[in-house]
Every structure is written in structure tokens, then in C-alpha cells.
Amino acid sequence: QVQLAESGGGSVQAGGSLTLACTASDITNCMAWFRQAPGKEREGVGAVYPATGVTLYADSVKDRFTISQDSTRQTMYLQMNRLKPEDTAIYFCAAQRYGSSWKTGEFRYWGQGTQVTVSS
């Protein structure tokens, strides 16, 4: 069983920045961020493969968000720049992918989520 702890959510004005962190209790094959806005389906934001450091992003955030990991490969960060009101959502950390692609959302472990609110 892997435990995930998220931190860093909050409120910011449009154009601002926030950084989220997710720490896993063990190294996994993949860590990812997802988000869900009220009334909308969950959306993949991006992922990192700890063994290689490869990062992947959804097109909607590709030029604004950056995923990184620390040297332990158990903490993943999501640096969010030039935030927009449409980025408002609960952001979830996920780990240990078992699906064919990180975008399918097929992860064994999930965090509790952290709220990000962007005001215009």
C-alpha cells in the first residue's frame, strides 16, 4: 500500500502561480496529476515516470505547467504558471499506473485532492 500526501493548493489571481507537491511513501512506476472541476469529468494534467524522469502533459497545460521530482523520486511537484480561471479544480495526485497510458487514469493509489482556485 502506497500513501500519497498532497500539499500546496490555494487561491490565486489569474496570471499567478502555484506549486503543488505530492509525496509517496514508496517509489512507483508512474506519478500523475489529475484535476476535476465542478460538473466536469476528471482530466489528466501530466505525469512523470520516476525511473527515467520523463514527463508528459495534457495539451491544455503544456506550456504553462511543469512537473518535476526530487532526488528520492517519491515527491512530485506541479509548478503552475500563468494560471487561468478554467484551471480552478480539485487537483489529485495518483501513483502506480496499471493502464496502457497515464491519461486513462488507471492508477492504483490516489491522494485526497487539493483545491486550486483561480479568480479573474
Side-chain angles (χ1 to χ4, degrees), residues 7-29:
S7 63
S11 297
V12 66
Q13 289 192 325
S17 299
L18 278 176
T19 300
L20 307 183
C22 174
T23 299
S25 57
D26 202 353
I27 296 175
T28 60
N29 64 357

Side-chain angles (χ1 to χ4, degrees), residues 69-118:
Q69 58 179 352
D70 73 355
S71 59
T72 69
R73 294 180 289 167
Q74 290 176 236
T75 295
M76 168 182 65
Y77 302 97
L78 178 65
Q79 173 68 43
M80 304 183 290
N81 297 323
R82 305 198 308 277
L83 281 161
K84 305 175 182 180
E86 51 263 44
D87 293 317
T88 295
I90 299 175
Y91 284 69
F92 297 90
C93 171
Q96 197 64 23
R97 179 177 68 82
Y98 63 88
S100 59
S101 166
W102 71 273
K103 290 186 177 181
T104 66
E106 292 171 296
F107 285 82
R108 190 171 302 279
Y109 307 108
W110 291 83
Q112 294 297 309
T114 185
Q115 178 71 47
V116 170
T117 302
V118 185

Side-chain angles (χ1 to χ4, degrees), residues 32-81:
W33 289 101
F34 289 82
R35 65 185 182 184
Q36 188 164 21
K40 294 189 176 181
E41 293 188 354
R42 186 180 64 195
E43 173 190 23
V45 176
V48 60
Y49 288 85
T52 61
V54 170
T55 54
L56 299 168
Y57 300 93
D59 288 342
S60 58
V61 306
K62 192 179 298 185
D63 297 325
R64 300 183 296 121
F65 292 8
T66 302
I67 291 175
S68 61
Q69 58 179 352
D70 73 355
S71 59
T72 69
R73 294 180 289 167
Q74 290 176 236
T75 295
M76 168 182 65
Y77 302 97
L78 178 65
Q79 173 68 43
M80 304 183 290
N81 297 323

